[in-house]
Amino acid sequence: PLLQEELEHLNQANEEINRVELQLDEARTTYRRILSESARKLNAQGSQLGNCIEKARPYYEARRLAKEAQQETQKAALRYERAVSMHNAAREMVFVAEQGVMADKNRLDPTWQEMLNHATCKVNEAEEERLRSEREHQRVTQLCQQAEAKVQALQKSLKRVIVKSKPYFELKAQFNQILE
């Protein structure tokens, strides 16, 4: 009976694998169809608009990089906030341990001393992490500002071709979103 039950589980798992493989094949087919359709439509749009697309491409690439830099800045800010929070918690642990050591002035309790040593180490580690994350946040913020400045400069210098090529890049963004 146990063998029969396991064989039944195996058959069910095999059916599930076959079903999922069919779904995967359908998804791949759909992906290839959308990819070829998007390439065809983008080529047609590109033929209509001419060389303004290539002239505007640096602007759109700079926008993409600026967006990525902004996301990195947000991640670095979260890491910094977490590090500050950990540092504050570690300092609070030191305070509690110091209070415990001071509570009994006549004798030194090794448990409280151990807790104080451990808490002090945690404060030092948290301080290092806080400083490291602060420097990282400053670095990525500067990169983000540089990327934004580049976008602004390209937007000024390529204003006409950006407007002319906008339909192409909007269509491309739509296809990329569908394909993702």
Side-chain angles (χ1 to χ4, degrees), residues 69 72-74 76-77 79 135-145:
E72 277 301 311
T73 301
Q74 290 171 346
R79 283 191 299 269
R135 285 190 300 272
E136 177 65 11
H137 182 258
Q138 289 172 346
R139 184 186 71 78
V140 295
T141 299
Q142 186 178 15
L143 290 175
C144 183
Q145 290 169 344

Side-chain angles (χ1 to χ4, degrees), residues 6-41:
E6 290 301 317
L7 284 173
E8 186 60 35
H9 286 298
L10 185 61
N11 285 336
Q12 289 173 352
N14 195 30
E15 288 173 12
E16 178 71 12
I17 289 170
N18 289 338
R19 188 181 61 73
V20 172
E21 282 180 343
L22 287 173
Q23 287 177 343
L24 177 62
D25 288 342
E26 289 172 12
R28 284 182 175 154
T29 302
T30 302
Y31 180 83
R32 282 192 295 271
R33 183 182 48 78
I34 292 172
L35 187 63
S36 64
E37 180 183 326
S38 66
R40 186 180 51 76
K41 286 184 178 180

Side-chain angles (χ1 to χ4, degrees), residues 62-74:
R63 265 183 47 179
R64 185 186 64 77
L65 293 174
K67 186 177 180 181
E68 287 177 8
Q70 186 179 32
Q71 290 170 344
E72 277 301 311
T73 301
Q74 290 171 346

